[in-house]
Amino acid sequence: MSKQKSNTKAGIYLRLSNDDARAGESLSIENQRRILEKYVVEQGFELVDTYIDDGYSGTNFNRPGFQKLLEDIEMGYVSVIIVKDMSRFGREYLQVGYYTEHYFPEKNVRFIAVNDGVDSANEEDNDFTPLRNFMNELYAKDISRKVKSAHRVKGMAGEPLSQPPYGYMKDPE
């Protein structure tokens, strides 16, 4: 059964919180791109653009790639957004809900999270999505607490909490 070509103009969105210390594009972004580009081809979508936020937190939506995506939605260039999973889209429950439940439907934009099986074109399949978004937010908060706790322990032990700026070295003593 072959898939019929679609006139759907797709934008793929890629995000990773921290760079993985590779020069250029991080490995996770590269893998997300590969998965989503394959999905676009399999579905017969037209890939309009790729929006990337490499090294940006998912706990807010003030990210340059995401802002460009919104501009392109407003201009009518994008009619479907595809992400690897809901956590790559964002980790702030209320904002994720606003975009997926209100903004995208108002703009007639289809939203797909490939690995989570989320597709706004199939409403009955999306009952679990709000709970998944809430769990993603809790995960981000839990990681933040753990990092703060580790920094507190290091600080109390007299260990430095940050790396020296680029080009400088720590005194070995």
Side-chain angles (χ1 to χ4, degrees):
M1 173 185 207
S2 67
K3 299 221 176 193
Q4 191 174 1
K5 267 289 195 202
S6 169
N7 291 329
T8 305
K9 296 182 183 213
I12 60 175
Y13 180 73
L14 317 171
R15 185 190 65 78
L16 179 66
S17 293
N18 298 314
D19 294 327
D20 65 5
R22 254 183 77 185
E25 196 173 87
S26 71
L27 189 57
S28 176
I29 293 292
E30 189 178 299
N31 289 333
Q32 289 177 54
R33 180 192 305 270
R34 191 173 312 126
I35 290 166
L36 298 183
E37 285 178 350
K38 180 179 182 240
Y39 183 84
V40 166
V41 169
E42 288 172 351
Q43 298 302 310
F45 295 145
E46 175 189 347
L47 181 59
V48 173
D49 207 346
T50 300
Y51 306 88
I52 303 171
D53 285 317
D54 195 356
Y56 286 87
S57 172
T59 58
N60 71 66
F61 283 83
N62 188 19
R63 305 175 237 151
F66 185 74
Q67 294 304 313
K68 174 67 173 135
L69 173 62
L70 292 180
E71 290 173 18
D72 286 357
I73 289 170
E74 291 295 327
M75 297 299 292
Y77 299 150
V78 176
S79 60
V80 63
I81 298 166
I82 306 169
V83 298
K84 180 181 168 239
D85 57 51
M86 294 301 292
S87 70
R88 296 301 93 211
F89 180 63
R91 290 190 181 272
E92 205 285 319
Y93 172 72
L94 294 176
Q95 287 183 332
V96 169
Y98 165 73
Y99 285 110
T100 58
E101 304 279 328
H102 300 286
Y103 182 80
F104 296 152
E106 287 171 8
K107 301 294 180 182
N108 294 314
V109 171
R110 183 176 172 187
F111 180 82
I112 300 170
V114 176
N115 285 357
D116 290 335
V118 173
D119 185 343
S120 63
N122 301 322
E123 286 299 320
E124 62 277 356
D125 296 341
N126 298 331
D127 293 339
F128 189 63
T129 302
L131 181 57
R132 181 179 288 117
N133 293 338
F134 184 64
M135 295 304 291
N136 285 334
E137 180 174 343
L138 290 179
Y139 175 80
K141 287 180 179 180
D142 184 49
I143 291 296
S144 177
R145 276 192 293 271
K146 288 176 181 175
V147 167
K148 286 177 186 173
S149 174
H151 282 189
R152 191 171 25 259
V153 168
K154 284 178 83 176
M156 297 300 281
E159 296 178 33
L161 298 178
S162 63
Q163 296 295 319
Y166 180 77
Y168 290 84
M169 293 176 56
K170 284 185 185 178
D171 183 339
E173 296 178 28

